[in-house]
Every structure is written in C-alpha cells, then in structure tokens.
Amino acid sequence: MDEFEEPRAGPPVYALRSVFRVYETRREGDRLLYFGDPIVSPDALERHVWPLFREAGYEVTLQVRTGEHVLVAEPRSTGLDGIPWTNVVMALLTVLTTLFAGVEWYDATVTLDDPLSILQTWPFAVAVLSVLGIHELGHYAMSRYHDVNATLPYFIPVPTIFGTMGAVIKMKGRIPDREALFDIGVAGPLAGLAAAIVVTAVGLQLEPVAAGPVYGLGGLNYPPLIQFIATVTGGELYPPGGRVNPVVVGGWVGMFVTFLNLLPVGQLDGGHLVRAMLGRRQETVGALVPAGLFGLGGYLLFVQEETLQSITLWFFWGFVAIALAYAGPATPVLDDALDRRRMAVGVFTFVLGLLCFTPVPFTFV
C-alpha cells in the first residue's frame, strides 16, 4: 500500500477524523481518494464531509473498492465547458420536427420545389419551443443560483403531433438542502406556465385556422386556466368552421406538460416539491400516484364511457408513475424543514397545476 500522504487540494485528514478514519490518500487524475473506515452511518458521514469537500471545490461520494471504503472526490464545475454541441444539435432537430408538425396544424402546403415554405409554420414552432425551453431554463437558472451542476436543456425531437416529447436538463451534482431542491423544482413549472399563459393569450388574438380535424383528433379539450384566459381576453376557443390558431396549441402543450410534471412522484417536478415540503413522507404520496392515475382511467372508461383511445394516456402514465416511484425522489444532503413562505408557494403551484388539468385532454374523430 502507498505511503500515507496528506492531500494537497482537498480537506485535511483531521477534518474527517470524527466520522471517517483515513489510513491512505491517493490522487487519481483530477480525483482525490481517501481510504478509511466509516465510524458513523452513511447519511451522517455524508452530512459531515459533503460541505467540507464542496468548499474545497469537489463533489464527494462514498464507494467500496475491493472491500475498502473510499471517499471519491471529483472536481466540481457549474459552468459550460466549451460549446454544448449535443444540446445545439438536438435543439435544431426539434426546431425542424416542430415546423413539420405545424404543417398539419396550419393545413399548410409544403413541396419539394419550395422547401423553405416549411417556415410558414414558424409561429407554432416558436410557441411550443418557447414554453418548453423557458420551463427548463427556469430549472437551470435556479440550479446555477444554488451552485448545483446542471446541463443546459436537451430538447427531444420526435415526429409526433407536437413535434417533440419535451425537454430535460440533467442534474450532475448533489442538491445541498431542501430549500435548493424546492427552488430548483418550482422554478420550471412557474416559468413555463407564465410563458404558456402569454403564448395562449397571444394565440387567441390571432386568426383561427379554417380547417377540419387534424392528426385524427376530434379536437383539444381545454383546461380551466385556458378557458379563463379566453374569457378575460375575449378569445374564441371553438371558432365556427375552423380551429384556434396553432399558437394556442403551443400554450395548451405548455399547460399539459406543467400538469404532468407536477405529478408528486419520483424525480418529476412535483416529486421534488413534495420531497422538499414533506421530507421522506413524499414516498408515501408518490406510491399513491399510480393508483390515482389508473383509477382516473378506469372511471373515464367504465363510468363516463369514454373511448379507450381517449384515455390510454392515463393508463400509460400510471405505469410510468410506478417506475418513477420505484426509482425514488431526489434526496438533499441536508434535510431541514422548509420555511412557511416556500410551503405556501408550493401549495399555490400545485393549485395552478390542477387548473392545467382536464380529464380527457383530446378526443378522436
């Protein structure tokens, strides 16, 4: 075994003495390795050493290597390292798929002789991408505020009726405490919902599209929040002989995504909020979500006698919720309770999420 040597960049060995008896240190590239024996539980160990390594500029994890316990410290970074080409390429592809999705929403004509005619659907693409992008940038901005390493948004290009399956960011670092978990979790829905409200209000002032059913849909059903916006702005959600301007569909997408993200399970935004608000009791709440979604689907099918095609969504999300509940929520390092102001904001956010809900989001021809 190598000769014991005090680390030059990380916390000194004596600072770990009360929780981890170090008998060897090594450097492995940019990483620091502290071999030793834990003398407290893993949770207590992490609570003690995490702030020390964080202050020194490292993320630390406890690992077991060939039967030995080792604290592995890797350099932290919350900035961008060069051009994020993957993010850029996925964003450009999503612009393309949303432009193509907009062709049918506008009942537009695009030919190979004039491929740039696809650009006539740009308002739809901008509407969808803006509400999704602002949602994820809300998470990203709050991650930077709390000094948590996170990626820029990854847009997901899929040739669906909306041209995308949404966008995500990836959290690379541990979340310090419940306040950071709450702030990061709540920033996305509130930012995205604000964008969706603006997009919907603008879209309701634009000319309707004189066309019939699109993508086999009989129509979109509008949640209470969109109905309220239409009442306030004097917009028409069901124009005679046509459909609302596709920009409204962008706002609808934003609200639908907000509701799904606020399901209080796993590492969805709602799961983050409930974990921050209720602590470990979130797991009990999360376990009830699949049952609620299956129950909703069953009620619509057997009591309301909706078509199975219209409510497959809730059965699908019931299975997704099972997987999310099994994976569990994000766990902050420090688990102190939230203040009352954040608790109130959390309740308000869930109320907004319910205003984005409609039992049957769309019907089919």
Side-chain angles (χ1 to χ4, degrees):
M1 189 171 288
D2 296 341
E3 182 180 354
F4 183 92
E5 181 180 349
E6 187 76 22
R8 297 178 183 178
V13 169
Y14 71 81
L16 314 179
R17 190 174 300 155
S18 62
V19 293
F20 194 74
R21 291 197 183 97
V22 179
Y23 54 75
E24 180 186 2
T25 63
R26 300 179 194 167
R27 179 177 287 276
E28 194 176 79
D30 292 334
R31 295 189 295 182
L32 303 177
L33 307 181
Y34 292 69
F35 290 84
D37 297 313
I39 55 177
V40 295
S41 69
D43 287 345
L45 174 63
E46 183 180 49
R47 286 194 297 269
H48 182 88
V49 304
W50 187 83
L52 300 175
F53 282 92
R54 182 180 175 86
E55 185 177 351
Y58 290 89
E59 286 281 353
V60 64
T61 57
L62 177 64
Q63 300 179 14
V64 177
R65 295 188 174 186
T66 62
E68 295 181 289
H69 290 90
V70 54
L71 293 171
V72 180
E74 302 191 40
R76 297 178 60 249
S77 173
T78 55
L80 295 178
D81 185 16
I83 300 175
W85 287 112
T86 301
N87 303 75
V88 171
V89 170
M90 292 182 71
L92 292 176
L93 289 174
T94 308
V95 169
L96 189 61
T97 55
T98 49
L99 286 172
F100 272 105
V103 170
E104 189 151 346
W105 287 107
Y106 280 100
D107 196 25
T109 300
V110 179
T111 65
L112 293 177
D113 295 334
D114 184 18
L116 291 181
S117 59
I118 189 70
L119 296 179
Q120 64 189 296
T121 68
W122 70 265
F124 173 79
V126 170
V128 172
L129 294 178
S130 63
V131 295
L132 297 178
I134 290 173
H135 179 119
E136 296 304 329
L137 286 175
H139 291 312
Y140 178 77
M142 200 53 64
S143 298
R144 294 297 301 271
Y145 175 80
H146 283 286
D147 201 23
V148 174
N149 193 8
T151 66
L152 285 171
Y154 292 94
F155 286 92
I156 306 172
V158 180
T160 63
I161 61 175
F162 304 120
T164 177
M165 290 293 288
V168 297
I169 66 170
K170 183 178 180 181
M171 311 289 285
K172 294 184 175 180
R174 288 299 307 276
I175 298 176
D177 48 38
R178 283 211 223 170
E179 289 188 359
L181 178 61
F182 179 87
D183 292 349
I184 294 170
V186 82
L190 291 182
L193 192 53
I197 290 171
V198 172
V199 164
T200 301
V202 170
L204 285 169
Q205 307 311 306
L206 300 177
E207 288 294 324
V209 177
V214 59
Y215 287 107
L217 296 178
L220 298 177
N221 292 325
Y222 299 105
L225 186 54
I226 288 184
Q227 296 179 32
F228 174 76
I229 296 170
T231 300
V232 170
T233 62
E236 178 61 65
L237 290 175
Y238 301 98
R243 302 191 305 268
V244 293
N245 190 281
V247 170
V248 178
V249 178
W252 184 95
V253 169
M255 294 187 193
F256 186 57
V257 168
T258 296
F259 171 75
L260 291 177
N261 266 300
L262 284 175
L263 291 174
V265 61
Q267 298 200 27
L268 293 178
D269 296 341
H272 290 326
L273 296 188
V274 175
R275 177 62 180 81
M277 295 168 70
L278 301 182
R280 297 187 184 277
R281 287 176 291 172
Q282 186 273 343
E283 295 182 6
T284 301
V285 176
L288 298 175
V289 173
L293 292 170
F294 288 132
L296 173 61
Y299 172 79
L300 293 173
L301 179 62
F302 298 111
V303 179
Q304 295 295 318
E305 297 184 349
E306 295 287 342
T307 64
L308 182 61
Q309 188 180 24
S310 299
I311 60 176
T312 299
L313 170 76
W314 302 124
F315 291 116
F316 170 77
W317 270 91
F319 288 110
V320 171
I322 290 175
L324 291 170
Y326 180 78
T331 304
V333 176
L334 305 177
D335 216 353
D336 298 330
L338 284 185
D339 57 83
R340 291 184 178 180
R341 181 177 62 86
R342 283 184 171 85
M343 293 289 285
V345 171
V347 172
F348 175 70
T349 302
F350 280 116
V351 170
L352 288 178
L354 288 174
L355 293 177
C356 296
F357 168 70
T358 179
V360 183
F362 31 72
T363 56
F364 291 85
V365 175

